[in-house]
Amino acid sequence: MNDKPELQIFGLGGTIAMAPHQEGAGVRPSLTADDLIKAAPELSDIAQIRAETLSLKGSANLSFQEIVSLCERAENCRSDGVIVTQGTDTMEETAFLANLLYEGSAPLVFTGAMRSPTQPGADGRANLLAAALTALSPDAPSVCVVMNDEIHHPYYVTKAHTSNVAAFQSPIRGPIGQVAENTVNFHPVRPAPLFQKPRKFAPVALLSALLDDDGNLFDTILGAGYAGLVVEGFGAGHVSEAIAEKLAVIAKDIPVILSSRVRAGSVFERTYGYRGAEIDLLNKGLVPAGRLSGRKARILLSLILGLGLEDWRAEFVQVIKQV
Ligand code: ASP
Protein backbone atom coordinates (compact mmCIF):
# COMPACT_ATOMS: atom_id res chain seq x y z
CA MET A 1 0.00 0.00 0.00
CA ASN A 2 1.21 3.48 -0.84
CA ASP A 3 1.13 5.67 2.25
CA LYS A 4 2.53 8.78 0.62
CA PRO A 5 0.29 11.86 0.76
CA GLU A 6 -1.84 12.72 -2.26
CA LEU A 7 -1.00 15.74 -4.32
CA GLN A 8 -3.22 17.14 -7.05
CA ILE A 9 -1.71 19.29 -9.80
CA PHE A 10 -3.91 21.47 -11.97
CA GLY A 11 -2.21 22.88 -15.07
CA LEU A 12 -3.39 26.15 -16.60
CA GLY A 13 -0.48 26.79 -18.99
CA GLY A 14 2.09 29.59 -18.68
CA THR A 15 5.83 29.58 -19.29
CA ILE A 16 6.29 26.46 -17.15
CA ALA A 17 4.31 24.61 -19.84
CA MET A 18 5.71 26.34 -22.91
CA ALA A 19 7.80 24.91 -25.75
CA PRO A 20 8.97 25.97 -29.20
CA HIS A 21 6.42 25.29 -31.91
CA GLN A 22 6.38 24.81 -35.66
CA GLU A 23 4.28 27.76 -36.73
CA GLY A 24 6.67 30.55 -35.91
CA ALA A 25 9.01 32.12 -33.43
CA GLY A 26 8.87 31.86 -29.67
CA VAL A 27 7.42 29.41 -27.19
CA ARG A 28 3.74 28.67 -26.64
CA PRO A 29 1.80 26.76 -23.96
CA SER A 30 1.83 23.12 -25.01
CA LEU A 31 2.91 20.88 -22.13
CA THR A 32 0.22 19.15 -20.12
CA ALA A 33 0.23 18.76 -16.35
CA ASP A 34 1.27 15.11 -16.99
CA ASP A 35 4.26 16.30 -19.03
CA LEU A 36 5.28 18.57 -16.14
CA ILE A 37 5.26 15.79 -13.57
CA LYS A 38 7.14 13.44 -15.90
CA ALA A 39 9.87 16.07 -16.08
CA ALA A 40 10.03 16.28 -12.28
CA PRO A 41 10.50 12.64 -11.15
CA GLU A 42 11.43 13.67 -7.58
CA LEU A 43 7.77 14.57 -7.02
CA SER A 44 6.85 10.92 -6.84
CA ASP A 45 9.36 10.43 -4.00
CA ILE A 46 7.25 12.64 -1.78
CA ALA A 47 3.67 12.11 -2.96
CA GLN A 48 1.22 10.19 -5.06
CA ILE A 49 0.54 12.62 -7.86
CA ARG A 50 -2.62 13.22 -9.84
CA ALA A 51 -2.35 15.69 -12.68
CA GLU A 52 -5.02 17.38 -14.74
CA THR A 53 -4.71 20.02 -17.43
CA LEU A 54 -7.52 22.53 -17.07
CA SER A 55 -6.28 24.86 -19.78
CA LEU A 56 -3.18 25.65 -21.80
CA LYS A 57 -2.91 29.39 -22.12
CA GLY A 58 -0.86 32.44 -21.48
CA SER A 59 -2.09 33.76 -18.16
CA ALA A 60 -3.27 37.05 -19.69
CA ASN A 61 -6.23 35.00 -20.97
CA LEU A 62 -7.38 33.56 -17.65
CA SER A 63 -10.76 34.73 -16.36
CA PHE A 64 -12.17 35.25 -12.87
CA GLN A 65 -14.66 32.48 -13.58
CA GLU A 66 -11.87 30.01 -14.32
CA ILE A 67 -10.41 30.76 -10.91
CA VAL A 68 -13.82 30.16 -9.30
CA SER A 69 -14.01 26.75 -11.05
CA LEU A 70 -10.43 25.99 -10.10
CA CYS A 71 -11.27 26.64 -6.42
CA GLU A 72 -14.31 24.35 -6.66
CA ARG A 73 -12.26 21.57 -8.22
CA ALA A 74 -9.55 21.96 -5.61
CA GLU A 75 -12.15 21.85 -2.82
CA ASN A 76 -13.55 18.59 -4.20
CA CYS A 77 -10.39 16.74 -5.18
CA ARG A 78 -9.75 15.06 -1.80
CA SER A 79 -6.00 15.56 -1.86
CA ASP A 80 -3.61 16.51 0.90
CA GLY A 81 -2.26 19.39 -1.16
CA VAL A 82 -3.06 21.11 -4.45
CA ILE A 83 -0.71 22.85 -6.88
CA VAL A 84 -1.78 25.16 -9.66
CA THR A 85 0.72 25.75 -12.44
CA GLN A 86 0.08 28.88 -14.48
CA GLY A 87 1.70 31.86 -16.12
CA THR A 88 3.49 34.26 -13.85
CA ASP A 89 2.10 37.40 -15.48
CA THR A 90 -1.19 37.31 -13.58
CA MET A 91 -0.34 34.97 -10.71
CA GLU A 92 -0.53 37.72 -8.09
CA GLU A 93 -4.12 38.37 -9.19
CA THR A 94 -5.35 34.79 -9.53
CA ALA A 95 -3.82 33.79 -6.17
CA PHE A 96 -5.38 36.86 -4.53
CA LEU A 97 -8.82 35.96 -5.88
CA ALA A 98 -8.44 32.30 -4.88
CA ASN A 99 -7.48 33.42 -1.39
CA LEU A 100 -10.82 35.24 -1.11
CA LEU A 101 -12.82 32.22 -2.28
CA TYR A 102 -11.08 28.94 -1.54
CA GLU A 103 -12.75 26.89 1.20
CA GLY A 104 -10.80 23.65 0.86
CA SER A 105 -8.73 22.19 3.66
CA ALA A 106 -5.81 21.15 1.42
CA PRO A 107 -3.33 24.00 0.89
CA LEU A 108 -3.62 25.54 -2.58
CA VAL A 109 -0.23 26.58 -3.97
CA PHE A 110 0.31 28.62 -7.13
CA THR A 111 3.56 28.22 -9.02
CA GLY A 112 5.00 28.68 -12.49
CA ALA A 113 8.31 29.47 -14.14
CA MET A 114 10.22 32.47 -15.39
CA ARG A 115 12.12 30.33 -17.93
CA SER A 116 10.50 27.78 -20.20
CA PRO A 117 11.65 24.15 -19.92
CA THR A 118 14.04 24.30 -22.90
CA GLN A 119 15.88 27.42 -21.70
CA PRO A 120 19.18 27.14 -19.80
CA GLY A 121 18.52 27.35 -16.06
CA ALA A 122 14.82 26.56 -16.47
CA ASP A 123 13.18 26.97 -13.05
CA GLY A 124 9.89 25.12 -13.50
CA ARG A 125 11.02 21.80 -12.09
CA ALA A 126 12.53 23.33 -8.93
CA ASN A 127 9.45 25.51 -8.45
CA LEU A 128 7.20 22.49 -8.78
CA LEU A 129 9.15 20.59 -6.14
CA ALA A 130 9.15 23.57 -3.75
CA ALA A 131 5.42 24.02 -4.36
CA ALA A 132 4.82 20.33 -3.62
CA LEU A 133 6.76 20.46 -0.35
CA THR A 134 4.82 23.59 0.61
CA ALA A 135 1.43 22.14 -0.34
CA LEU A 136 2.11 19.09 1.83
CA SER A 137 3.42 21.05 4.80
CA PRO A 138 1.14 20.96 7.87
CA ASP A 139 1.80 24.67 8.46
CA ALA A 140 0.91 25.86 4.96
CA PRO A 141 -1.67 28.68 4.72
CA SER A 142 -4.86 28.17 2.73
CA VAL A 143 -3.45 29.79 -0.44
CA CYS A 144 0.06 30.94 -1.31
CA VAL A 145 2.48 31.52 -4.18
CA VAL A 146 5.76 29.58 -4.33
CA MET A 147 8.50 30.78 -6.67
CA ASN A 148 12.29 30.56 -6.40
CA ASP A 149 12.14 28.69 -3.06
CA GLU A 150 10.17 31.51 -1.46
CA ILE A 151 6.60 31.34 -0.20
CA HIS A 152 4.48 34.47 -0.60
CA HIS A 153 1.11 35.51 0.76
CA PRO A 154 -1.42 36.41 -1.97
CA TYR A 155 -2.14 39.79 -0.33
CA TYR A 156 1.39 41.06 -0.79
CA VAL A 157 3.01 39.15 -3.62
CA THR A 158 3.81 40.92 -6.85
CA LYS A 159 5.80 40.13 -9.98
CA ALA A 160 8.60 42.67 -9.77
CA HIS A 161 10.82 41.72 -12.71
CA THR A 162 10.07 40.64 -16.27
CA SER A 163 12.70 37.91 -16.52
CA ASN A 164 14.66 37.27 -13.29
CA VAL A 165 13.95 33.94 -11.58
CA ALA A 166 13.71 35.98 -8.35
CA ALA A 167 10.90 38.02 -9.92
CA PHE A 168 8.37 37.45 -7.15
CA GLN A 169 8.49 39.70 -4.13
CA SER A 170 6.28 40.78 -1.25
CA PRO A 171 7.25 44.43 -0.72
CA ILE A 172 7.75 45.48 2.92
CA ARG A 173 6.27 42.24 4.26
CA GLY A 174 8.75 39.84 2.63
CA PRO A 175 8.04 36.15 1.98
CA ILE A 176 6.03 34.21 4.56
CA GLY A 177 8.32 31.21 4.32
CA GLN A 178 11.22 29.53 2.56
CA VAL A 179 12.08 26.13 1.18
CA ALA A 180 15.63 24.82 1.67
CA GLU A 181 17.07 21.30 1.74
CA ASN A 182 13.59 19.93 1.08
CA THR A 183 12.32 21.55 4.27
CA VAL A 184 9.67 24.22 4.52
CA ASN A 185 9.72 26.97 7.14
CA PHE A 186 6.88 29.42 7.70
CA HIS A 187 6.30 32.63 9.57
CA PRO A 188 2.68 32.71 10.82
CA VAL A 189 0.01 34.48 8.77
CA ARG A 190 -3.43 35.81 9.62
CA PRO A 191 -6.32 33.93 8.04
CA ALA A 192 -8.14 35.67 5.20
CA PRO A 193 -11.83 36.55 5.35
CA LEU A 194 -13.72 34.33 2.92
CA PHE A 195 -16.44 35.20 0.43
CA GLN A 196 -19.08 33.07 -1.23
CA LYS A 197 -18.33 32.21 -4.84
CA PRO A 198 -20.19 34.70 -7.01
CA ARG A 199 -22.22 33.74 -10.06
CA LYS A 200 -20.85 36.82 -11.77
CA PHE A 201 -18.21 39.46 -11.18
CA ALA A 202 -19.03 43.14 -11.61
CA PRO A 203 -16.99 45.08 -14.19
CA VAL A 204 -14.55 47.38 -12.40
CA ALA A 205 -12.15 49.72 -14.19
CA LEU A 206 -8.63 50.61 -13.09
CA LEU A 207 -7.13 53.98 -14.01
CA SER A 208 -3.83 55.51 -13.00
CA ALA A 209 -2.91 59.07 -12.16
CA LEU A 210 -0.41 60.38 -14.76
CA LEU A 211 1.50 63.62 -14.87
CA ASP A 212 -0.21 66.31 -16.98
CA ASP A 213 -3.08 64.02 -17.95
CA ASP A 214 -6.28 65.78 -18.99
CA GLY A 215 -8.30 62.93 -17.44
CA ASN A 216 -10.55 62.38 -20.47
CA LEU A 217 -10.58 58.65 -19.80
CA PHE A 218 -12.19 59.34 -16.42
CA ASP A 219 -15.08 61.02 -18.27
CA THR A 220 -15.84 57.78 -20.10
CA ILE A 221 -16.26 55.60 -16.99
CA LEU A 222 -19.90 56.29 -16.15
CA GLY A 223 -21.02 55.74 -19.74
CA ALA A 224 -19.03 52.54 -20.21
CA GLY A 225 -21.03 50.22 -17.99
CA TYR A 226 -18.59 49.93 -15.11
CA ALA A 227 -20.00 49.15 -11.69
CA GLY A 228 -16.93 50.49 -9.89
CA LEU A 229 -13.60 52.22 -10.39
CA VAL A 230 -10.21 51.88 -8.80
CA VAL A 231 -7.85 54.81 -9.19
CA GLU A 232 -4.13 54.42 -8.63
CA GLY A 233 -3.13 57.82 -7.26
CA PHE A 234 0.35 59.33 -7.06
CA GLY A 235 2.30 58.69 -3.87
CA ALA A 236 0.14 58.09 -0.83
CA GLY A 237 -3.06 58.55 -2.88
CA HIS A 238 -3.12 61.86 -4.73
CA VAL A 239 -4.47 63.09 -8.06
CA SER A 240 -4.59 66.43 -9.85
CA GLU A 241 -7.34 68.90 -8.90
CA ALA A 242 -9.06 68.36 -12.25
CA ILE A 243 -9.20 64.61 -11.79
CA ALA A 244 -10.33 65.00 -8.17
CA GLU A 245 -13.41 66.83 -9.47
CA LYS A 246 -14.10 64.08 -11.99
CA LEU A 247 -13.73 61.43 -9.27
CA ALA A 248 -16.20 63.31 -7.05
CA VAL A 249 -18.80 63.03 -9.82
CA ILE A 250 -18.08 59.33 -10.46
CA ALA A 251 -18.18 58.48 -6.73
CA LYS A 252 -21.74 59.82 -6.51
CA ASP A 253 -22.80 57.04 -8.87
CA ILE A 254 -20.51 54.07 -8.35
CA PRO A 255 -17.97 52.90 -5.73
CA VAL A 256 -14.52 54.41 -6.24
CA ILE A 257 -11.45 53.00 -4.51
CA LEU A 258 -8.27 54.98 -3.93
CA SER A 259 -5.06 52.96 -4.24
CA SER A 260 -1.51 54.03 -5.09
CA ARG A 261 0.56 53.56 -8.22
CA VAL A 262 3.59 53.19 -5.89
CA ARG A 263 4.61 49.56 -5.45
CA ALA A 264 4.68 49.41 -1.64
CA GLY A 265 3.08 51.15 1.31
CA SER A 266 -0.37 52.27 2.42
CA VAL A 267 -2.64 54.87 0.94
CA PHE A 268 -2.82 57.72 3.50
CA GLU A 269 -6.05 58.87 5.12
CA ARG A 270 -5.25 61.97 7.19
CA THR A 271 -1.99 63.68 6.25
CA TYR A 272 -2.31 65.80 3.11
CA GLY A 273 -5.01 68.44 3.01
CA TYR A 274 -4.67 70.04 -0.45
CA ARG A 275 -7.23 69.57 -3.24
CA GLY A 276 -6.73 66.19 -4.89
CA ALA A 277 -4.86 64.74 -1.90
CA GLU A 278 -6.20 61.85 0.17
CA ILE A 279 -8.26 63.85 2.70
CA ASP A 280 -10.08 65.66 -0.11
CA LEU A 281 -10.61 62.42 -2.06
CA LEU A 282 -11.95 60.50 0.93
CA ASN A 283 -14.31 63.43 1.67
CA LYS A 284 -15.50 63.09 -1.92
CA GLY A 285 -16.56 59.51 -1.17
CA LEU A 286 -13.54 57.45 -2.27
CA VAL A 287 -12.57 54.47 -0.12
CA PRO A 288 -8.88 53.84 0.62
CA ALA A 289 -7.34 50.53 -0.48
CA GLY A 290 -4.84 50.39 2.39
CA ARG A 291 -1.81 48.38 1.27
CA LEU A 292 -3.67 46.54 -1.46
CA SER A 293 -2.42 47.24 -4.99
CA GLY A 294 -4.84 48.74 -7.49
CA ARG A 295 -4.96 45.42 -9.35
CA LYS A 296 -5.98 43.49 -6.25
CA ALA A 297 -8.38 46.20 -5.07
CA ARG A 298 -10.09 45.87 -8.46
CA ILE A 299 -10.57 42.13 -8.00
CA LEU A 300 -11.90 42.55 -4.47
CA LEU A 301 -14.40 45.24 -5.50
CA SER A 302 -15.45 43.23 -8.53
CA LEU A 303 -16.19 40.24 -6.29
CA ILE A 304 -18.05 42.24 -3.62
CA LEU A 305 -20.19 44.07 -6.19
CA GLY A 306 -20.76 40.84 -8.14
CA LEU A 307 -22.12 39.22 -4.99
CA GLY A 308 -24.47 42.18 -4.55
CA LEU A 309 -23.50 42.47 -0.88
CA GLU A 310 -25.52 45.10 0.91
CA ASP A 311 -22.71 47.12 2.46
CA TRP A 312 -19.88 47.00 -0.09
CA ARG A 313 -17.81 49.50 1.91
CA ALA A 314 -17.86 47.42 5.10
CA GLU A 315 -16.98 44.27 3.15
CA PHE A 316 -14.09 46.00 1.42
CA VAL A 317 -12.74 47.48 4.64
CA GLN A 318 -12.94 44.11 6.40
CA VAL A 319 -10.34 42.74 3.97
CA ILE A 320 -8.22 45.88 3.92
CA LYS A 321 -7.80 45.68 7.69
CA GLN A 322 -6.15 42.27 7.31
CA VAL A 323 -3.61 43.40 4.76
N1 ASP B 1 5.59 35.05 -19.08
C1 ASP B 1 4.47 34.39 -18.58
C2 ASP B 1 4.81 33.25 -17.64
O1 ASP B 1 5.66 33.41 -16.85
C3 ASP B 1 3.44 34.03 -19.55
C4 ASP B 1 2.15 33.86 -18.80
O2 ASP B 1 1.95 34.52 -17.81
O3 ASP B 1 1.39 33.00 -19.20
O4 ASP B 1 4.25 32.20 -17.64
Side-chain angles (χ1 to χ4, degrees):
M1 205 185 103
N2 193 339
D3 55 3
K4 286 182 194 148
E6 288 183 18
L7 186 65
Q8 172 73 50
I9 300 182
F10 290 121
L12 297 178
T15 295
I16 193 168
M18 293 202 195
H21 63 108
Q22 318 236 296
E23 292 153 42
V27 289
R28 289 186 185 175
S30 47
L31 303 176
T32 64
D34 271 320
D35 294 331
L36 298 188
I37 60 170
K38 271 185 213 130
E42 50 284 320
L43 287 177
S44 53
D45 295 339
I46 58 169
Q48 305 173 62
I49 317 283
R50 282 196 308 258
E52 192 177 344
T53 307
L54 299 182
S55 67
L56 262 177
K57 3 172 127 161
S59 69
N61 298 302
L62 290 170
S63 67
F64 290 164
Q65 211 50 59
E66 278 173 277
I67 302 306
V68 172
S69 317
L70 168 77
C71 288
E72 285 167 345
R73 295 186 85 117
E75 284 159 7
N76 295 323
C77 74
R78 294 164 190 268
S79 287
D80 299 295
V82 184
I83 296 179
V84 182
T85 57
Q86 69 152 86
T88 57
D89 291 353
T90 61
M91 196 181 287
E92 67 195 78
E93 287 162 278
T94 54
F96 175 74
L97 177 57
N99 193 50
L100 296 170
L101 300 175
Y102 179 61
E103 294 178 90
S105 50
L108 181 61
V109 177
F110 285 75
T111 196
M114 294 301 295
R115 296 176 182 163
S116 59
T118 49
Q119 273 183 287
D123 52 333
R125 177 173 165 190
N127 286 343
L128 210 44
L129 179 61
L133 292 164
T134 305
L136 297 174
S137 161
D139 301 323
S142 170
V143 180
C144 62
V145 168
V146 173
M147 291 288 290
N148 197 37
D149 283 344
E150 291 185 329
I151 306 163
H152 295 271
H153 192 281
Y155 279 161
Y156 310 104
V157 69
T158 188
K159 183 174 179 179
H161 198 284
T162 55
S163 59
N164 200 310
V165 291
F168 279 74
Q169 294 177 12
S170 294
I172 301 180
R173 177 70 163 82
I176 57 168
Q178 286 90 24
V179 183
E181 296 183 307
N182 284 353
T183 305
V184 183
N185 281 305
F186 283 105
H187 325 305
V189 270
R190 276 183 290 185
L194 269 185
F195 290 86
Q196 276 167 265
K197 297 188 182 66
R199 279 210 302 271
K200 61 177 177 47
F201 287 84
V204 174
L206 171 64
L207 291 178
S208 239
L210 300 167
L211 189 63
D212 201 13
D213 174 30
D214 57 17
N216 286 344
L217 264 184
F218 288 82
D219 294 331
T220 65
I221 292 297
L222 288 180
Y226 287 109
L229 169 68
V230 177
V231 57
E232 289 179 331
F234 300 111
H238 309 144
V239 299
S240 67
E241 293 181 11
I243 288 181
E245 292 317 311
K246 293 175 191 289
L247 289 172
V249 173
I250 300 170
K252 287 202 170 73
D253 259 40
I254 58 173
V256 182
I257 305 294
L258 177 63
S259 66
S260 172
R261 62 178 208 166
V262 180
R263 221 174 112 249
S266 262
V267 162
F268 282 3
E269 299 186 28
R270 52 185 168 274
T271 298
Y272 291 99
Y274 57 89
R275 281 172 58 208
E278 79 276 1
I279 294 175
D280 180 36
L281 294 176
L282 301 188
N283 284 338
K284 286 179 161 60
L286 276 71
V287 172
R291 298 207 303 192
L292 217 49
S293 69
R295 280 168 266 184
K296 293 181 186 181
R298 172 181 166 266
I299 292 173
L300 178 60
L301 185 62
S302 178
L303 168 62
I304 290 169
L305 298 179
L307 282 168
L309 298 175
E310 214 173 299
D311 189 349
W312 68 266
R313 235 174 245 267
E315 300 289 341
F316 191 88
V317 169
Q318 180 211 1
V319 176
I320 293 312
K321 279 200 195 134
Q322 297 278 318
V323 181

